Amino acid sequence: MQQPTTQHSLARSLGRKSSFALWLLLLLNLLVILPGCVKQDPPAAGAPSLKLVLDNIASPLGLLEVPDGSKRLFVIDQPGRIWIIGADGNRMTTPFIDVSSKMIALNANGDERGLLGLAFHPNYQTNGRFFVYYNAPPRAGGPTPTTTWNNTDRVSEFKVSASNPNVADLGSEKIILDVDDPQSNHNGGTIAFGKDGYLYISIGDGGGANDVGNGHVSDWYAANAGGNGQDIYANLLGNMLRIDVNSGSPYGIPADNPYVGKPGLDEIYAIGLRNTYRFSFDMGGTNQIFGGDAGQNLYEEVNIISKGGNYGWNIKEGSYCFNAASPLLGFPTCVTVDSAGNPLLDPIIQFPTITNPIGGVGTTVIGGNVYRGKSIPQYNGKYIFGSYSQRRNIPDAKLYIANKLNKNQWTYEDIFLQGFGDNLGQYLKGFGQDLDGEVYLTTTGLAGPVGTTGKVYKLVFIP
């Protein structure tokens, strides 16, 4: 993404001819972000805070509790390891699994690849099956005759060791899904089982910018070159997928997936997503899927993702009409439905990024969880999410809490934490939730997947 640009320097770079269009865009942007973030007053007494539960790991991206009654928490560490926090609160010295030997080499200065996702089979207690999402080396060939793939988005099944519940059987790997990926960024990476027993997978649009370039196919929208977000025929990129890991070889297709029996790839559950890096199911209510979709230059967004939904990319960035040829300027108007007549769904939450000419509140959105715990009852049913950082290349992440305003829109406000204020002093890499509904944060002091600055915190309330 580009570095922050002031309104003055941006207008000068666009030239006089574009000045009126720019200021019109700024006005439109101000309208579409309302209602937006409400700045909360710092608490006088009694407030949420963070309890450190794990440190000295590299780059934790998420956490979940294993569904076997043992109260163990499993932490996804981007360089390829999964760590266990025992019921006693202590980390086990040996990782549950280490798939680093199966992965592509990561960039120490910052990388969106790695070990990105973990999901336990709903019947894990009896069958020992679990699934991971990681980026493997590229397969042969490439998006063009003269270019190669960057990596392979891989979802694999493993089994726990028959003799030790704290160690996985590395040799039990069964590759479920491989997707050729043209660039290193926009890999999605969350996997999770729904109440329906199916495995949901977020896949990014293939990377790069604008959803164009090698590996980004042409779609039906002539105004923008590309892209994978609106294509349902050529590849699985830019989508949410849903598969049945209990049937088929290596998987089956749920009969009610939206493109079963119709033109389009059967694995697809929803389309029009740029990079839904973190998503989660609400443990209560109607178990809706909340996904944080990383934007490009102007807006970060959170969507409630439903079957057959089209979330707009690259026709839209958030609720804004995106222009692949001029992403900071955009279009004044755009279509509101796709080629099949399905509406382009706007996010329930969006905030301007620091590269937005109107000024921004953060960098990349990090999707979180709907709180369903007991420690902070006033948060029940509210969605907790955050920003990777507030400024470029500075570890100063911020948390937000969102409340439903109406069917299609949620308002949000800062979370002020005792001991932290509205600045975590770290990069926010992900969230987690235990089976009691309590929420956890995963953070690092370094941008890259190296070192030992990684931490896991539990969100708690201090009277």
Side-chain angles (χ1 to χ4, degrees), residues 96-97 130 157-162 164 167-173:
F96 176 62
I97 195 170
F130 68 96
E157 175 184 333
F158 290 89
K159 290 186 177 181
V160 68
S161 166
N164 187 344
V167 177
D169 180 359
L170 189 63
S172 67
E173 182 174 22

Side-chain angles (χ1 to χ4, degrees), residues 387-390 394-399 422-428:
S387 175
Y388 171 76
S389 64
Q390 298 178 58
I394 297 176
D396 60 353
K398 179 185 282 192
L399 288 188
D422 65 349
N423 180 344
L424 295 181
Q426 297 158 73
Y427 295 109
L428 178 62

Side-chain angles (χ1 to χ4, degrees), residues 68-367:
D68 65 358
S70 68
K71 295 294 183 180
R72 292 173 299 161
L73 302 176
F74 286 63
V75 179
I76 305 162
D77 198 6
Q78 187 181 358
R81 292 170 287 275
I82 294 173
W83 297 101
I84 300 177
I85 304 173
D88 60 0
N90 295 317
R91 181 181 73 172
M92 298 183 184
T93 56
T94 301
F96 176 62
I97 195 170
D98 184 344
V99 296
S100 58
S101 63
K102 299 174 179 291
M103 290 171 21
I104 193 166
L106 303 182
N107 185 337
N109 295 321
D111 209 318
E112 295 181 18
R113 303 167 300 177
L115 175 60
L116 304 182
L118 167 66
F120 292 103
H121 191 280
N123 298 325
Y124 177 82
Q125 187 168 4
T126 57
N127 65 25
R129 300 169 65 193
F130 68 96
F131 300 80
V132 298
Y133 182 126
Y134 65 89
N135 296 103
R139 298 189 289 189
T144 74
T146 59
T147 58
T148 59
W149 300 110
N150 177 272
N151 68 89
T152 305
D153 298 327
R154 175 169 291 171
V155 176
S156 283
E157 175 184 333
F158 290 89
K159 290 186 177 181
V160 68
S161 166
S163 59
N164 187 344
N166 296 319
V167 177
D169 180 359
L170 189 63
S172 67
E173 182 174 22
K174 174 186 175 183
I175 296 173
I176 302 296
L177 179 69
D178 273 348
V179 178
D180 296 316
D181 199 331
Q183 276 91 37
S184 65
N185 59 341
H186 302 184
N187 300 302
T190 303
I191 55 176
F193 282 92
K195 293 289 186 181
D196 53 17
Y198 299 132
L199 184 65
Y200 292 70
I201 305 164
S202 61
I203 300 282
D205 71 357
N210 304 313
D211 200 6
V212 302
N214 292 337
H216 297 259
V217 300
S218 297
D219 66 23
W220 57 272
Y221 187 57
N224 279 343
N228 290 332
Q230 291 299 314
D231 169 74
I232 60 172
Y233 307 107
N235 59 55
L236 296 174
L237 299 170
N239 303 314
M240 177 78 74
L241 312 180
R242 183 174 70 158
I243 61 175
D244 182 1
V245 296
N246 296 314
S247 68
S249 180
Y251 59 84
I253 300 294
D256 64 338
N257 271 10
Y259 298 105
V260 171
K262 303 175 183 177
L265 297 173
D266 289 348
E267 293 90 344
I268 295 174
Y269 182 79
I271 70 171
L273 298 167
R274 186 172 184 266
N275 184 30
T276 303
Y277 158 66
R278 301 288 88 173
F279 77 84
S280 65
F281 285 92
D282 181 2
M283 293 177 62
T286 58
N287 305 123
Q288 292 175 305
I289 303 172
F290 287 73
D293 198 31
Q296 184 162 302
N297 298 100
L298 299 177
Y299 289 104
E300 302 295 308
E301 64 184 90
V302 175
N303 299 294
I304 292 180
I305 300 173
S306 58
K307 183 174 67 176
N310 185 340
Y311 296 88
W313 179 251
N314 71 352
I315 299 167
K316 286 186 171 185
E317 181 184 2
S319 60
Y320 161 80
C321 294
F322 182 74
N323 181 347
S326 184
L328 278 171
L329 186 58
F331 292 124
T333 61
C334 54
V335 298
T336 59
V337 298
D338 64 21
S339 59
N342 299 310
L344 303 181
L345 301 174
D346 285 341
I348 60 165
I349 299 166
Q350 68 179 6
F351 65 81
T353 71
I354 58 172
T355 51
N356 193 313
I358 68 171
V361 300
T363 56
T364 304
V365 65
I366 306 296

Side-chain angles (χ1 to χ4, degrees), residues 367-419:
N369 298 81
V370 176
Y371 186 83
R372 295 294 180 182
K374 295 181 179 179
S375 299
I376 316 177
Q378 62 268 37
Y379 280 6
N380 186 51
K382 298 184 179 183
Y383 179 67
I384 297 168
F385 69 106
S387 175
Y388 171 76
S389 64
Q390 298 178 58
R391 294 168 290 176
R392 178 73 61 199
N393 299 324
I394 297 176
D396 60 353
K398 179 185 282 192
L399 288 188
Y400 299 104
I401 188 164
N403 194 39
K404 186 175 181 179
L405 179 65
N406 54 49
K407 180 180 179 181
N408 300 314
Q409 199 167 46
W410 291 50
T411 58
Y412 68 96
E413 62 186 22
D414 300 349
I415 295 180
F416 282 86
L417 298 163
Q418 285 199 39

